[in-house]
Amino acid sequence: MKAVVSLNSGSSSIKFSLFVLDGEGALRLSAGGKIEKIGIAPTVTARSVEGGVLLERAWPDGATLAHADLLADLFAWAGDHPLEGQEIIAIGHRVVHGGTEFAAPRLVDTALLEKLEALCPLAPLHQPHNLAAIRAIAALRPELPQVACFDTAFHHDKPDIASRFAIPRALHDQGIRRYGFHGLSYEYIVRRLAEIDPALADGRVIAAHLGNGASLCAMQAGKSVDTTMGFTALDGLMMGTRCGSIDPGVVLHLQAQLGMSPAEIEDLFYKKSGLLGVSGISSDMRTLAASDAPEAAEAIDLFACRAAREVAALATSLGGIDGIVFTAGIGENDADIRSRICSRLAWLGVRIDELANVGNCPRISMPDSPVAVLVIPTDEERMIALHTLNVLGNALGAVA
Ligand code: ADP
């Protein structure tokens, strides 16, 4: 059976999913797993969709294995353990930045890799790891087609006004503009919403991707009109460890008065801020919810308050809203956060049914709420696999 692998490579982890093509050409998840703690004490786990452990491996503290070494190990294992005759025909990658040029997924070749390499300064914590995985696989299996799926692509055609910072035009022209991210997640939400409620999918919807990284996207008829992340994945909402929107004067102060270097400021804003920074306890929403500390309560309150404020801002970009969709780790599971955000938006006509909310039901709004509120689990891996098949089909003229 033919299969497609989705890869999502971060700084210290690589998530992978294996989808098989069934008789009708639909994708069925077959297995998935994670390489974690890269650079510290790497572990690899893979499970079948039924939950059976396929692979479990751990290296000791200080093992200096890079992304490429661990992917080579995974491929060697896959080569020795053919997954019930599944034949991998392509690998799809999440690539965080497609810049101004790429509005759709692309088949990887040397020229594309060079262009994507040039975008590394725009996403220094993500892009290099995305490309390292592509390079590692090209070296291991040069014949295997690889497809780059961009997190920015979904926002590529948003109105110019949603792409500009109020800075001199020359800087915008050299790429200092609002790109937006989490596009693969939003694309998947659009597909699912069209199945669940086609009329709503055709209207004005704000999707709230609330995970460790968090952003909102304002969509009109399934197209991105505005979004909270901007030039980098730091902008917008408060996140697990990222600060979200911040007065640029703070950056100047940290540099000029506190003598912090660019690397220290980067570390502060990406890794030590957000829920972690405000609570001083954890970046994990579940840990904070279980804590009695007032700092944890304040961090949760700030998270919800900032999210609600940004929903209201995006409602203006849309000229009103017909629906809100919550997704990702917090959005899909945390009824308390959804309730806090929605109650702050009551003036916009948002009224949720608390019973349905606690049940994480697809529709959590009251029947007479002018704004529909839904919970839809996202699946970026499936979106990558779908794009990969599609690009492959276009490249080959047909998909088997
Ligand atoms: P990412 O993919 O960006 O790493 P996730 O989408 O997995 O992040 O989201 C992680 C966040 O979701 C964490 O803050 C975690 O506490 C929260 N989360 C996951 N499951 C639950 C749950 N059942 N209840 C509340 N929060 C949850």
Side-chain angles (χ1 to χ4, degrees), residues 337-391:
I337 289 289
R338 292 194 300 258
S339 176
R340 285 168 186 255
I341 293 172
C342 290
S343 64
R344 285 182 180 274
L345 296 168
W347 63 274
L348 263 177
V350 177
R351 292 181 54 220
I352 61 169
D353 172 347
E354 287 299 346
L355 257 184
N357 184 34
V358 168
N360 298 329
C361 295
R363 188 174 300 267
I364 62 168
S365 46
M366 300 294 277
D368 61 350
S369 174
V371 177
V373 185
L374 285 88
V375 178
I376 301 181
T378 193
D379 192 346
E380 289 153 297
E381 286 71 29
R382 180 173 292 273
M383 204 61 235
I384 293 169
L386 285 165
H387 278 313
T388 302
L389 264 190
N390 192 28
V391 169

Side-chain angles (χ1 to χ4, degrees), residues 32-50:
K34 248 184 185 182
I35 302 175
E36 289 179 282
K37 295 200 220 161
I38 302 174
I40 309 166
T43 59
V44 181
T45 49
R47 289 178 184 276
S48 69
V49 73
E50 294 84 17

